[in-house]
């Protein structure tokens, strides 16, 4: 008969096996453990803020799996909060855990990536995130800097249960200095009456800045109004004539203290940018009268002008040219529209008396 294994040895072996099975593979910065680091990970730092658990054995912060013991705390939904300990010291805060998130922003695992879905909110139905353009100059010039307040919600549709919000701002990089675009949420507001919040901004692409803002005290807010400011800089001598350019708020997700997301309607504004030469008491020519119809448009646009037209060009909200057509110096012409995504576009009409722009909504 074989001897029995002593009970304490069996118990130790089982505990070691259970511990090995319970370990987690943490990628520093990937707080949501979906395989990609972005501003939604930053929102979850706010959910885990000031929580603590077992530290990791290694202080390495490269974007590779790090073995970690599970904490006694979980995010709503069941994900262990050890994933929020980005630097592995056993405590979640801003100064040390946001650094790996910034460093690895945009990084993706080689496999097992779950894409984040950003649903577009409906204007007039969902709360809005928009720029306050009340005090924006009618024209801004090359090299000029200007600020826009950021408003969340409205008196008609206030925000319910705000704990954090993530969004992106896209703008034409040939006109706006994306590297100098700044966001500031330091002032007291209805969403931040007690300075109990953290925020981040990160250049995510040549034409895009990602922003994350989140409270840290497990108290959500209700209300509407300004939550911060955005500062923009026009690149010096980038334009040769006055024309409008878009700034877009998109990829918006608002989160409550339970980690639930809500849709928010974004915003698009058009900023009139002029060359610096116009500051020297120069004024552009009187632009001719131009009619464009139907608007909204489907498959075709009709354009008529009080003077001869030379060229037509259609741009999307990011300033990309999607269509152009010479007009053979006509006063009336047609523009056949290809299959384009529904939304706002900018039509440029070159005439023998100057350039005219018209906003066009396309519905296909």
């Amino acid at each position: 008969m074989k001897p029995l294994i002593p009970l304490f040895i069996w118990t130790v072996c089982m505990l070691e096996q259970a511990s090995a099975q319970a370990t987690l593979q943490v990628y520093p910065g990937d707080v949501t453990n979906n395989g990609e680091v972005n501003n939604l990970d930053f929102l979850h730092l706010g959910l885990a803020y000031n929580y603590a658990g077992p530290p990791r054995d290694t202080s390495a912060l490269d974007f590779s799996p790090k073995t970690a013991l599970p904490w006694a705390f979980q995010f709503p939904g069941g994900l262990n909060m050890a994933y929020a300990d980005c630097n592995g010291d056993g405590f979640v805060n801003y100064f040390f855990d946001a650094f790996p998130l910034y460093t690895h922003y945009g990084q993706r695992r080689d496999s097992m990536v779950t894409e984040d879905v950003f649903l577009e909110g409906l204007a007039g139905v969902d709360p809005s995130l928009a720029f306050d353009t009340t005090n924006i100059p009618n024209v801004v010039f090359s090299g000029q800097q200007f600020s826009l307040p950021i408003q969340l919600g409205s008196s008609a549709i206030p925000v319910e249960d705000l704990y954090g919000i993530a969004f992106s701002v896209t703008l034409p990089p040939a006109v706006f200095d994306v590297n100098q675009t700044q966001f500031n949420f330091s002032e007291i507001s209805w969403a931040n009456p007690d300075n109990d919040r953290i925020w981040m901004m990160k250049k995510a692409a040549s034409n895009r800045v990602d922003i994350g803002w989140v409270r840290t005290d497990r108290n959500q807010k209700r209300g509407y109004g300004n939550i911060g400011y955005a500062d923009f800089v026009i690149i010096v001598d980038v334009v040769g004539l006055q024309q409008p350019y878009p700034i877009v708020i998109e990829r918006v997700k608002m989160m409550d203290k339970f980690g639930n997301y809500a849709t928010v309607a974004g915003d698009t504004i058009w900023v009139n940018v002029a060359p610096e030469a116009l500051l020297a008491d120069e004024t552009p020519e009187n632009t001719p009268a131009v009619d464009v119809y139907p608007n909204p448009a489907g498959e075709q646009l009709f354009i008529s002008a009080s003077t001869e037209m030379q060229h037509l060009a259609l741009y999307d909200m990011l300033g990309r040219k999607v269509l152009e057509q010479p007009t053979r110096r006509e006063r009336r012409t047609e523009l056949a529209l290809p299959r384009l995504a529904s939304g706002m576009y900018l039509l440029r009409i070159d005439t023998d008396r100057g350039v005219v722009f018209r906003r066009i909504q396309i519905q296909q």
Side-chain angles (χ1 to χ4, degrees), residues 71-128:
W71 288 14
F73 307 101
Q74 294 180 332
F75 289 109
L79 183 68
N80 197 276
M81 281 192 179
Y83 290 100
D85 184 18
C86 297
N87 77 324
D89 66 353
F91 186 73
V92 177
N93 62 16
Y94 173 80
F95 295 101
F96 297 109
D97 292 305
F99 176 74
L101 197 155
Y102 275 92
T103 302
H104 301 314
Y105 200 92
Q107 292 258 31
R108 295 165 64 94
R109 292 194 304 237
D110 294 333
S111 61
M112 304 292 291
V113 176
T114 303
E115 301 286 349
D116 289 309
V117 178
F118 293 86
L119 299 177
E120 187 175 351
L122 298 176
V125 176
D126 296 310
S128 60

Side-chain angles (χ1 to χ4, degrees), residues 24-289:
L24 308 173
Q25 297 298 304
V26 175
Y27 284 73
D30 187 11
V31 181
T32 60
N33 193 36
N34 74 326
E36 181 180 11
V37 182
N38 60 21
N39 49 0
L40 297 182
D41 293 296
F42 189 81
L43 298 195
H44 280 69
L45 278 186
L47 290 175
Y49 208 75
N50 285 339
Y51 279 86
R56 295 201 295 267
D57 291 336
T58 176
S59 60
L61 297 179
D62 59 294
F63 193 68
S64 64
K66 305 291 183 287
T67 300
L69 292 174
W71 288 14
F73 307 101
Q74 294 180 332
F75 289 109
L79 183 68
N80 197 276
M81 281 192 179
Y83 290 100
D85 184 18
C86 297
N87 77 324
D89 66 353
F91 186 73
V92 177
N93 62 16
Y94 173 80
F95 295 101
F96 297 109
D97 292 305
F99 176 74
L101 197 155
Y102 275 92
T103 302
H104 301 314
Y105 200 92
Q107 292 258 31
R108 295 165 64 94
R109 292 194 304 237
D110 294 333
S111 61
M112 304 292 291
V113 176
T114 303
E115 301 286 349
D116 289 309
V117 178
F118 293 86
L119 299 177
E120 187 175 351
L122 298 176
V125 176
D126 296 310
S128 60
L129 182 66
F131 292 117
D132 180 1
T133 59
T134 304
N135 296 319
I136 189 172
N138 292 330
V139 178
V140 295
F141 294 90
S142 301
Q144 185 175 351
Q145 177 176 335
F146 63 97
S147 297
L148 293 176
I150 303 170
Q151 294 186 325
L152 179 58
S154 64
S155 58
I157 308 177
V159 166
E160 304 285 348
D161 304 330
L162 169 67
Y163 193 74
I165 189 165
F167 62 98
S168 299
V169 172
T170 57
L171 56 169
V175 178
F176 295 91
D177 190 337
V178 180
N179 292 316
Q180 293 195 62
T181 301
Q182 298 290 322
F183 294 83
N184 191 307
F185 301 92
S186 60
E187 293 188 7
I188 298 297
S189 71
W190 64 271
N192 170 40
D194 45 17
N195 274 335
D196 222 331
R197 52 79 195 96
I198 55 177
W199 80 86
M200 62 148 286
M201 54 167 288
K202 181 73 173 181
K203 181 181 177 182
S206 62
N207 68 332
R208 193 181 100 210
V209 180
D210 288 352
I211 299 94
W213 178 102
V214 64
R215 295 187 57 80
T216 58
D217 62 352
R218 267 67 69 183
N219 289 318
Q220 54 196 18
K221 298 298 178 180
R222 180 188 186 279
Y224 65 93
N226 288 0
I227 62 171
Y229 292 85
D231 294 323
F232 302 97
V233 178
I234 306 298
I235 297 175
V236 177
D237 295 330
V238 71
V239 295
L241 50 86
Q242 179 178 323
Q243 56 185 296
Y245 293 93
I247 304 177
V248 183
I249 295 178
E250 58 184 358
R251 294 167 55 91
V252 189
K253 272 197 171 186
M254 187 170 64
M255 185 184 73
D256 66 15
K257 67 178 182 179
F258 302 108
N260 301 311
Y261 291 121
T263 54
V264 175
D267 185 32
T268 298
I269 65 169
W270 294 85
V271 179
N272 288 312
V273 181
E276 192 174 11
L278 290 182
L279 285 171
D281 296 327
E282 296 183 20
T283 57
E285 292 184 73
N286 293 328
T287 55

